[in-house]
Amino acid sequence: MRKLKIKDVVMVALLTALYLVFYFISSMGVMVLGQFGHAISPGICGLLSGAVMIFLTRKVGKFWQFIIMQTICLLLFSIMGAGYLPWLISSELGAIIADLIASREEKPAVWKVALASGAFHVGQAWGSIVPSWFFLESYKAEWIGRGQTPEAMEAMLQFTSGYMGIVSTLVVFALSFAGVFLGWLILRKHLKENKTEK
């Protein structure tokens, strides 16, 4: 397994900065969808940032690339006061799975990057879905204590608890998966890749 170098870490950091631009755009854009938009916002980000994921695997292409990207995002949001332990855990698990899928070979197939992006973004989404499934009351109390209104929490839980949590998970995965193919279509000429690599 090829080792990360300092230049690789710098590239991951730069691409993470670009990724965060798409993250903030998606966070603002989903407001029109209400609480369902909030539940699937990682998927919207995945749809918009597929080119970043492709570029990451082509310009870095080493294990730890997704873990480092996710960790930078989590650190930033934790500094901003949005850190939440279940979200941190599920997000990092998603990044580990993404690295296992698409970071053990140079220039992995596009479908592998798409699967990795799905895992990466589902990990983020599960930060609200898993607590809704397994420790609902403490989850509600935590965020109401942080200033969320009980009404807003109940509205969000409609899309993260029970079977709707499964629906939201599938939507996030599908959007993130599709985003990578969209990104590949945008970048393939620049990267001089052809359709046989799918």
Side-chain angles (χ1 to χ4, degrees), residues 144-188:
I144 290 171
R146 294 192 189 197
Q148 187 73 268
T149 67
E151 294 78 17
M153 278 301 296
E154 290 298 334
M156 189 184 72
L157 290 169
Q158 292 178 10
F159 301 106
T160 56
S161 58
Y163 79 94
M164 280 305 297
I166 298 172
V167 171
S168 294
T169 296
L170 293 174
V171 170
V172 168
F173 184 88
L175 290 171
S176 302
F177 189 91
V180 167
F181 280 92
L182 180 62
W184 175 78
L185 289 173
I186 293 168
L187 290 178
R188 63 179 177 170

mmCIF file of all heavy atoms in Angstrom, residues 144-188:
data_model
loop_
_atom_site.group_PDB
_atom_site.id
_atom_site.type_symbol
_atom_site.label_atom_id
_atom_site.label_comp_id
_atom_site.label_asym_id
_atom_site.label_seq_id
_atom_site.Cartn_x
_atom_site.Cartn_y
_atom_site.Cartn_z
ATOM 1 N N ILE A 144 -32.258 19.936 21.683
ATOM 2 C CA ILE A 144 -33.117 20.965 22.273
ATOM 3 C C ILE A 144 -32.308 21.786 23.271
ATOM 4 O O ILE A 144 -32.430 23.010 23.346
ATOM 5 C CB ILE A 144 -34.366 20.335 22.924
ATOM 6 C CG1 ILE A 144 -35.300 19.800 21.829
ATOM 7 C CG2 ILE A 144 -35.111 21.352 23.793
ATOM 8 C CD1 ILE A 144 -36.456 18.959 22.341
ATOM 9 N N GLY A 145 -31.424 21.091 23.987
ATOM 10 C CA GLY A 145 -30.528 21.780 24.921
ATOM 11 C C GLY A 145 -29.565 22.722 24.227
ATOM 12 O O GLY A 145 -29.090 23.690 24.808
ATOM 13 N N ARG A 146 -29.280 22.456 22.960
ATOM 14 C CA ARG A 146 -28.379 23.322 22.184
ATOM 15 C C ARG A 146 -29.125 24.457 21.484
ATOM 16 O O ARG A 146 -28.517 25.225 20.759
ATOM 17 C CB ARG A 146 -27.632 22.499 21.133
ATOM 18 C CG ARG A 146 -26.666 21.476 21.703
ATOM 19 C CD ARG A 146 -25.789 20.939 20.587
ATOM 20 N NE ARG A 146 -24.978 19.810 21.003
ATOM 21 C CZ ARG A 146 -23.920 19.371 20.337
ATOM 22 N NH1 ARG A 146 -23.561 19.979 19.216
ATOM 23 N NH2 ARG A 146 -23.232 18.337 20.763
ATOM 24 N N GLY A 147 -30.444 24.512 21.683
ATOM 25 C CA GLY A 147 -31.195 25.638 21.128
ATOM 26 C C GLY A 147 -32.191 25.294 20.046
ATOM 27 O O GLY A 147 -32.908 26.166 19.557
ATOM 28 N N GLN A 148 -32.232 24.020 19.643
ATOM 29 C CA GLN A 148 -33.215 23.600 18.643
ATOM 30 C C GLN A 148 -34.606 23.581 19.285
ATOM 31 O O GLN A 148 -34.756 23.163 20.437
ATOM 32 C CB GLN A 148 -32.861 22.207 18.141
ATOM 33 C CG GLN A 148 -33.680 21.697 16.979
ATOM 34 C CD GLN A 148 -33.345 22.372 15.674
ATOM 35 O OE1 GLN A 148 -33.979 23.364 15.343
ATOM 36 N NE2 GLN A 148 -32.375 21.864 14.955
ATOM 37 N N THR A 149 -35.610 24.030 18.582
ATOM 38 C CA THR A 149 -36.956 24.021 19.157
ATOM 39 C C THR A 149 -37.529 22.604 19.115
ATOM 40 O O THR A 149 -37.201 21.822 18.212
ATOM 41 C CB THR A 149 -37.908 24.958 18.391
ATOM 42 O OG1 THR A 149 -38.105 24.432 17.081
ATOM 43 C CG2 THR A 149 -37.348 26.369 18.313
ATOM 44 N N PRO A 150 -38.372 22.246 20.087
ATOM 45 C CA PRO A 150 -38.997 20.914 20.068
ATOM 46 C C PRO A 150 -39.771 20.666 18.772
ATOM 47 O O PRO A 150 -39.758 19.547 18.241
ATOM 48 C CB PRO A 150 -39.945 20.951 21.275
ATOM 49 C CG PRO A 150 -39.323 21.956 22.201
ATOM 50 C CD PRO A 150 -38.720 22.993 21.301
ATOM 51 N N GLU A 151 -40.410 21.708 18.248
ATOM 52 C CA GLU A 151 -41.178 21.563 17.011
ATOM 53 C C GLU A 151 -40.266 21.216 15.823
ATOM 54 O O GLU A 151 -40.597 20.349 15.000
ATOM 55 C CB GLU A 151 -41.948 22.853 16.708
ATOM 56 C CG GLU A 151 -43.046 23.190 17.704
ATOM 57 C CD GLU A 151 -42.529 23.785 19.008
ATOM 58 O OE1 GLU A 151 -41.352 24.238 19.036
ATOM 59 O OE2 GLU A 151 -43.296 23.797 19.986
ATOM 60 N N ALA A 152 -39.125 21.900 15.745
ATOM 61 C CA ALA A 152 -38.183 21.630 14.660
ATOM 62 C C ALA A 152 -37.603 20.217 14.778
ATOM 63 O O ALA A 152 -37.417 19.527 13.767
ATOM 64 C CB ALA A 152 -37.068 22.666 14.656
ATOM 65 N N MET A 153 -37.327 19.788 16.001
ATOM 66 C CA MET A 153 -36.808 18.437 16.211
ATOM 67 C C MET A 153 -37.823 17.394 15.765
ATOM 68 O O MET A 153 -37.476 16.421 15.087
ATOM 69 C CB MET A 153 -36.449 18.215 17.679
ATOM 70 C CG MET A 153 -35.094 18.750 18.090
ATOM 71 S SD MET A 153 -33.704 18.054 17.159
ATOM 72 C CE MET A 153 -33.767 16.320 17.620
ATOM 73 N N GLU A 154 -39.075 17.583 16.149
ATOM 74 C CA GLU A 154 -40.116 16.628 15.763
ATOM 75 C C GLU A 154 -40.275 16.573 14.245
ATOM 76 O O GLU A 154 -40.462 15.503 13.664
ATOM 77 C CB GLU A 154 -41.443 17.002 16.419
ATOM 78 C CG GLU A 154 -41.491 16.780 17.918
ATOM 79 C CD GLU A 154 -41.304 15.329 18.323
ATOM 80 O OE1 GLU A 154 -41.617 14.429 17.517
ATOM 81 O OE2 GLU A 154 -40.835 15.084 19.453
ATOM 82 N N ALA A 155 -40.174 17.737 13.606
ATOM 83 C CA ALA A 155 -40.291 17.782 12.141
ATOM 84 C C ALA A 155 -39.140 17.023 11.490
ATOM 85 O O ALA A 155 -39.332 16.284 10.519
ATOM 86 C CB ALA A 155 -40.320 19.238 11.676
ATOM 87 N N MET A 156 -37.933 17.185 12.015
ATOM 88 C CA MET A 156 -36.784 16.496 11.448
ATOM 89 C C MET A 156 -36.878 14.989 11.680
ATOM 90 O O MET A 156 -36.536 14.192 10.798
ATOM 91 C CB MET A 156 -35.486 17.039 12.042
ATOM 92 C CG MET A 156 -34.241 16.510 11.340
ATOM 93 S SD MET A 156 -32.725 17.046 12.106
ATOM 94 C CE MET A 156 -32.742 16.077 13.595
ATOM 95 N N LEU A 157 -37.361 14.607 12.862
ATOM 96 C CA LEU A 157 -37.442 13.184 13.194
ATOM 97 C C LEU A 157 -38.404 12.426 12.289
ATOM 98 O O LEU A 157 -38.299 11.212 12.142
ATOM 99 C CB LEU A 157 -37.847 13.019 14.666
ATOM 100 C CG LEU A 157 -36.779 13.423 15.681
ATOM 101 C CD1 LEU A 157 -37.356 13.478 17.085
ATOM 102 C CD2 LEU A 157 -35.588 12.479 15.625
ATOM 103 N N GLN A 158 -39.328 13.135 11.672
ATOM 104 C CA GLN A 158 -40.230 12.490 10.711
ATOM 105 C C GLN A 158 -39.457 11.875 9.551
ATOM 106 O O GLN A 158 -39.925 10.920 8.926
ATOM 107 C CB GLN A 158 -41.234 13.510 10.159
ATOM 108 C CG GLN A 158 -42.239 14.007 11.169
ATOM 109 C CD GLN A 158 -43.174 15.048 10.558
ATOM 110 O OE1 GLN A 158 -43.172 15.252 9.338
ATOM 111 N NE2 GLN A 158 -43.954 15.705 11.389
ATOM 112 N N PHE A 159 -38.271 12.428 9.255
ATOM 113 C CA PHE A 159 -37.500 11.976 8.090
ATOM 114 C C PHE A 159 -36.226 11.207 8.459
ATOM 115 O O PHE A 159 -35.494 10.780 7.564
ATOM 116 C CB PHE A 159 -37.144 13.181 7.219
ATOM 117 C CG PHE A 159 -38.354 13.926 6.739
ATOM 118 C CD1 PHE A 159 -38.698 15.150 7.289
ATOM 119 C CD2 PHE A 159 -39.176 13.386 5.760
ATOM 120 C CE1 PHE A 159 -39.823 15.838 6.864
ATOM 121 C CE2 PHE A 159 -40.306 14.061 5.326
ATOM 122 C CZ PHE A 159 -40.632 15.286 5.877
ATOM 123 N N THR A 160 -35.971 11.040 9.759
ATOM 124 C CA THR A 160 -34.771 10.304 10.160
ATOM 125 C C THR A 160 -35.087 9.078 11.007
ATOM 126 O O THR A 160 -34.227 8.223 11.181
ATOM 127 C CB THR A 160 -33.813 11.211 10.961
ATOM 128 O OG1 THR A 160 -34.492 11.760 12.092
ATOM 129 C CG2 THR A 160 -33.276 12.343 10.092
ATOM 130 N N SER A 161 -36.301 8.979 11.525
ATOM 131 C CA SER A 161 -36.648 7.837 12.373
ATOM 132 C C SER A 161 -37.462 6.815 11.591
ATOM 133 O O SER A 161 -38.010 7.115 10.526
ATOM 134 C CB SER A 161 -37.422 8.306 13.612
ATOM 135 O OG SER A 161 -38.595 8.998 13.231
ATOM 136 N N GLY A 162 -37.515 5.591 12.125
ATOM 137 C CA GLY A 162 -38.311 4.540 11.505
ATOM 138 C C GLY A 162 -37.923 4.270 10.062
ATOM 139 O O GLY A 162 -36.764 4.388 9.667
ATOM 140 N N TYR A 163 -38.918 3.912 9.249
ATOM 141 C CA TYR A 163 -38.641 3.560 7.853
ATOM 142 C C TYR A 163 -38.159 4.767 7.041
ATOM 143 O O TYR A 163 -37.449 4.609 6.037
ATOM 144 C CB TYR A 163 -39.878 2.938 7.201
ATOM 145 C CG TYR A 163 -40.928 3.921 6.762
ATOM 146 C CD1 TYR A 163 -40.944 4.415 5.458
ATOM 147 C CD2 TYR A 163 -41.893 4.376 7.656
ATOM 148 C CE1 TYR A 163 -41.904 5.328 5.054
ATOM 149 C CE2 TYR A 163 -42.853 5.290 7.250
ATOM 150 C CZ TYR A 163 -42.860 5.762 5.955
ATOM 151 O OH TYR A 163 -43.799 6.673 5.562
ATOM 152 N N MET A 164 -38.536 5.991 7.485
ATOM 153 C CA MET A 164 -38.069 7.176 6.762
ATOM 154 C C MET A 164 -36.559 7.347 6.886
ATOM 155 O O MET A 164 -35.925 7.928 6.004
ATOM 156 C CB MET A 164 -38.790 8.427 7.253
ATOM 157 C CG MET A 164 -40.184 8.609 6.664
ATOM 158 S SD MET A 164 -40.210 8.591 4.848
ATOM 159 C CE MET A 164 -39.201 10.031 4.453
ATOM 160 N N GLY A 165 -35.985 6.822 7.947
ATOM 161 C CA GLY A 165 -34.528 6.823 8.056
ATOM 162 C C GLY A 165 -33.894 5.970 6.971
ATOM 163 O O GLY A 165 -32.849 6.316 6.422
ATOM 164 N N ILE A 166 -34.559 4.850 6.647
ATOM 165 C CA ILE A 166 -34.079 3.985 5.561
ATOM 166 C C ILE A 166 -34.228 4.697 4.222
ATOM 167 O O ILE A 166 -33.312 4.680 3.388
ATOM 168 C CB ILE A 166 -34.856 2.646 5.555
ATOM 169 C CG1 ILE A 166 -34.609 1.898 6.857
ATOM 170 C CG2 ILE A 166 -34.459 1.800 4.352
ATOM 171 C CD1 ILE A 166 -35.472 0.662 7.034
ATOM 172 N N VAL A 167 -35.379 5.350 4.023
ATOM 173 C CA VAL A 167 -35.607 6.097 2.781
ATOM 174 C C VAL A 167 -34.545 7.187 2.613
ATOM 175 O O VAL A 167 -33.941 7.336 1.545
ATOM 176 C CB VAL A 167 -37.024 6.718 2.762
ATOM 177 C CG1 VAL A 167 -37.182 7.665 1.575
ATOM 178 C CG2 VAL A 167 -38.082 5.625 2.719
ATOM 179 N N SER A 168 -34.307 7.953 3.682
ATOM 180 C CA SER A 168 -33.304 9.029 3.618
ATOM 181 C C SER A 168 -31.919 8.469 3.328
ATOM 182 O O SER A 168 -31.155 9.039 2.546
ATOM 183 C CB SER A 168 -33.302 9.821 4.930
ATOM 184 O OG SER A 168 -34.521 10.510 5.110
ATOM 185 N N THR A 169 -31.587 7.330 3.944
ATOM 186 C CA THR A 169 -30.296 6.685 3.697
ATOM 187 C C THR A 169 -30.143 6.325 2.225
ATOM 188 O O THR A 169 -29.102 6.591 1.608
ATOM 189 C CB THR A 169 -30.156 5.413 4.556
ATOM 190 O OG1 THR A 169 -30.158 5.772 5.940
ATOM 191 C CG2 THR A 169 -28.864 4.668 4.235
ATOM 192 N N LEU A 170 -31.178 5.714 1.655
ATOM 193 C CA LEU A 170 -31.124 5.303 0.249
ATOM 194 C C LEU A 170 -31.023 6.502 -0.687
ATOM 195 O O LEU A 170 -30.291 6.462 -1.680
ATOM 196 C CB LEU A 170 -32.354 4.463 -0.095
ATOM 197 C CG LEU A 170 -32.439 3.094 0.589
ATOM 198 C CD1 LEU A 170 -33.764 2.418 0.281
ATOM 199 C CD2 LEU A 170 -31.273 2.200 0.184
ATOM 200 N N VAL A 171 -31.736 7.584 -0.356
ATOM 201 C CA VAL A 171 -31.670 8.796 -1.186
ATOM 202 C C VAL A 171 -30.267 9.391 -1.135
ATOM 203 O O VAL A 171 -29.700 9.777 -2.163
ATOM 204 C CB VAL A 171 -32.723 9.829 -0.734
ATOM 205 C CG1 VAL A 171 -32.503 11.174 -1.424
ATOM 206 C CG2 VAL A 171 -34.133 9.319 -1.014
ATOM 207 N N VAL A 172 -29.692 9.460 0.064
ATOM 208 C CA VAL A 172 -28.336 9.999 0.215
ATOM 209 C C VAL A 172 -27.347 9.161 -0.586
ATOM 210 O O VAL A 172 -26.497 9.693 -1.312
ATOM 211 C CB VAL A 172 -27.928 10.047 1.704
ATOM 212 C CG1 VAL A 172 -26.424 10.317 1.856
ATOM 213 C CG2 VAL A 172 -28.724 11.120 2.437
ATOM 214 N N PHE A 173 -27.445 7.847 -0.460
ATOM 215 C CA PHE A 173 -26.520 6.975 -1.194
ATOM 216 C C PHE A 173 -26.676 7.156 -2.704
ATOM 217 O O PHE A 173 -25.688 7.293 -3.422
ATOM 218 C CB PHE A 173 -26.736 5.508 -0.810
ATOM 219 C CG PHE A 173 -25.760 4.586 -1.467
ATOM 220 C CD1 PHE A 173 -24.527 4.324 -0.873
ATOM 221 C CD2 PHE A 173 -26.038 3.985 -2.688
ATOM 222 C CE1 PHE A 173 -23.596 3.489 -1.488
ATOM 223 C CE2 PHE A 173 -25.124 3.155 -3.310
ATOM 224 C CZ PHE A 173 -23.905 2.909 -2.704
ATOM 225 N N ALA A 174 -27.928 7.159 -3.173
ATOM 226 C CA ALA A 174 -28.174 7.268 -4.617
ATOM 227 C C ALA A 174 -27.660 8.589 -5.181
ATOM 228 O O ALA A 174 -27.034 8.616 -6.254
ATOM 229 C CB ALA A 174 -29.672 7.124 -4.893
ATOM 230 N N LEU A 175 -27.894 9.684 -4.479
ATOM 231 C CA LEU A 175 -27.425 10.986 -4.947
ATOM 232 C C LEU A 175 -25.896 11.044 -4.974
ATOM 233 O O LEU A 175 -25.292 11.543 -5.935
ATOM 234 C CB LEU A 175 -27.975 12.098 -4.051
ATOM 235 C CG LEU A 175 -29.484 12.380 -4.163
ATOM 236 C CD1 LEU A 175 -29.921 13.342 -3.062
ATOM 237 C CD2 LEU A 175 -29.826 12.940 -5.532
ATOM 238 N N SER A 176 -25.275 10.516 -3.930
ATOM 239 C CA SER A 176 -23.807 10.529 -3.857
ATOM 240 C C SER A 176 -23.199 9.644 -4.938
ATOM 241 O O SER A 176 -22.174 9.993 -5.546
ATOM 242 C CB SER A 176 -23.353 10.053 -2.473
ATOM 243 O OG SER A 176 -23.904 10.860 -1.456
ATOM 244 N N PHE A 177 -23.804 8.497 -5.164
ATOM 245 C CA PHE A 177 -23.355 7.573 -6.206
ATOM 246 C C PHE A 177 -23.447 8.240 -7.581
ATOM 247 O O PHE A 177 -22.496 8.234 -8.361
ATOM 248 C CB PHE A 177 -24.214 6.309 -6.154
ATOM 249 C CG PHE A 177 -23.721 5.190 -7.019
ATOM 250 C CD1 PHE A 177 -22.849 4.238 -6.512
ATOM 251 C CD2 PHE A 177 -24.148 5.056 -8.336
ATOM 252 C CE1 PHE A 177 -22.393 3.184 -7.308
ATOM 253 C CE2 PHE A 177 -23.704 4.018 -9.140
ATOM 254 C CZ PHE A 177 -22.828 3.077 -8.627
ATOM 255 N N ALA A 178 -24.601 8.854 -7.848
ATOM 256 C CA ALA A 178 -24.804 9.528 -9.129
ATOM 257 C C ALA A 178 -23.856 10.702 -9.308
ATOM 258 O O ALA A 178 -23.380 10.968 -10.420
ATOM 259 C CB ALA A 178 -26.249 10.001 -9.246
ATOM 260 N N GLY A 179 -23.558 11.394 -8.225
ATOM 261 C CA GLY A 179 -22.679 12.560 -8.293
ATOM 262 C C GLY A 179 -21.299 12.232 -8.824
ATOM 263 O O GLY A 179 -20.689 13.031 -9.547
ATOM 264 N N VAL A 180 -20.792 11.051 -8.478
ATOM 265 C CA VAL A 180 -19.466 10.654 -8.952
ATOM 266 C C VAL A 180 -19.474 10.431 -10.466
ATOM 267 O O VAL A 180 -18.556 10.843 -11.170
ATOM 268 C CB VAL A 180 -18.972 9.396 -8.208
ATOM 269 C CG1 VAL A 180 -17.752 8.790 -8.898
ATOM 270 C CG2 VAL A 180 -18.629 9.750 -6.762
ATOM 271 N N PHE A 181 -20.526 9.811 -10.994
ATOM 272 C CA PHE A 181 -20.606 9.619 -12.445
ATOM 273 C C PHE A 181 -20.769 10.948 -13.168
ATOM 274 O O PHE A 181 -20.209 11.165 -14.237
ATOM 275 C CB PHE A 181 -21.730 8.644 -12.793
ATOM 276 C CG PHE A 181 -21.331 7.213 -12.592
ATOM 277 C CD1 PHE A 181 -21.574 6.584 -11.384
ATOM 278 C CD2 PHE A 181 -20.675 6.510 -13.584
ATOM 279 C CE1 PHE A 181 -21.183 5.263 -11.177
ATOM 280 C CE2 PHE A 181 -20.266 5.196 -13.393
ATOM 281 C CZ PHE A 181 -20.522 4.574 -12.186
ATOM 282 N N LEU A 182 -21.513 11.859 -12.554
ATOM 283 C CA LEU A 182 -21.627 13.202 -13.113
ATOM 284 C C LEU A 182 -20.264 13.887 -13.114
ATOM 285 O O LEU A 182 -19.855 14.501 -14.103
ATOM 286 C CB LEU A 182 -22.637 14.020 -12.289
ATOM 287 C CG LEU A 182 -22.883 15.456 -12.733
ATOM 288 C CD1 LEU A 182 -23.451 15.514 -14.141
ATOM 289 C CD2 LEU A 182 -23.828 16.157 -11.753
ATOM 290 N N GLY A 183 -19.551 13.766 -12.007
ATOM 291 C CA GLY A 183 -18.209 14.339 -11.908
ATOM 292 C C GLY A 183 -17.247 13.730 -12.905
ATOM 293 O O GLY A 183 -16.417 14.430 -13.499
ATOM 294 N N TRP A 184 -17.370 12.423 -13.124
ATOM 295 C CA TRP A 184 -16.509 11.743 -14.094
ATOM 296 C C TRP A 184 -16.771 12.258 -15.505
ATOM 297 O O TRP A 184 -15.843 12.474 -16.286
ATOM 298 C CB TRP A 184 -16.738 10.240 -14.006
ATOM 299 C CG TRP A 184 -15.981 9.463 -15.039
ATOM 300 C CD1 TRP A 184 -14.647 9.150 -15.020
ATOM 301 C CD2 TRP A 184 -16.512 8.911 -16.240
ATOM 302 N NE1 TRP A 184 -14.316 8.431 -16.143
ATOM 303 C CE2 TRP A 184 -15.441 8.265 -16.902
ATOM 304 C CE3 TRP A 184 -17.773 8.887 -16.808
ATOM 305 C CZ2 TRP A 184 -15.609 7.612 -18.117
ATOM 306 C CZ3 TRP A 184 -17.953 8.239 -18.024
ATOM 307 C CH2 TRP A 184 -16.867 7.612 -18.659
ATOM 308 N N LEU A 185 -18.038 12.480 -15.822
ATOM 309 C CA LEU A 185 -18.369 13.029 -17.144
ATOM 310 C C LEU A 185 -17.758 14.410 -17.346
ATOM 311 O O LEU A 185 -17.330 14.757 -18.435
ATOM 312 C CB LEU A 185 -19.892 13.097 -17.318
ATOM 313 C CG LEU A 185 -20.613 11.753 -17.484
ATOM 314 C CD1 LEU A 185 -22.122 11.962 -17.468
ATOM 315 C CD2 LEU A 185 -20.176 11.058 -18.758
ATOM 316 N N ILE A 186 -17.713 15.182 -16.278
ATOM 317 C CA ILE A 186 -17.145 16.530 -16.346
ATOM 318 C C ILE A 186 -15.624 16.482 -16.495
ATOM 319 O O ILE A 186 -15.030 17.252 -17.260
ATOM 320 C CB ILE A 186 -17.537 17.334 -15.088
ATOM 321 C CG1 ILE A 186 -19.050 17.589 -15.076
ATOM 322 C CG2 ILE A 186 -16.772 18.656 -15.019
ATOM 323 C CD1 ILE A 186 -19.570 18.113 -13.749
ATOM 324 N N LEU A 187 -14.986 15.561 -15.787
ATOM 325 C CA LEU A 187 -13.521 15.560 -15.691
ATOM 326 C C LEU A 187 -12.810 14.600 -16.646
ATOM 327 O O LEU A 187 -11.594 14.677 -16.788
ATOM 328 C CB LEU A 187 -13.092 15.198 -14.262
ATOM 329 C CG LEU A 187 -13.374 16.226 -13.169
ATOM 330 C CD1 LEU A 187 -12.933 15.669 -11.821
ATOM 331 C CD2 LEU A 187 -12.655 17.536 -13.447
ATOM 332 N N ARG A 188 -13.526 13.689 -17.281
ATOM 333 C CA ARG A 188 -12.834 12.611 -17.983
ATOM 334 C C ARG A 188 -11.892 13.105 -19.083
ATOM 335 O O ARG A 188 -10.830 12.521 -19.281
ATOM 336 C CB ARG A 188 -13.835 11.611 -18.559
ATOM 337 C CG ARG A 188 -14.773 12.162 -19.598
ATOM 338 C CD ARG A 188 -15.704 11.084 -20.117
ATOM 339 N NE ARG A 188 -16.647 11.655 -21.068
ATOM 340 C CZ ARG A 188 -17.448 10.949 -21.817
ATOM 341 N NH1 ARG A 188 -17.419 9.630 -21.733
ATOM 342 N NH2 ARG A 188 -18.273 11.536 -22.654
#
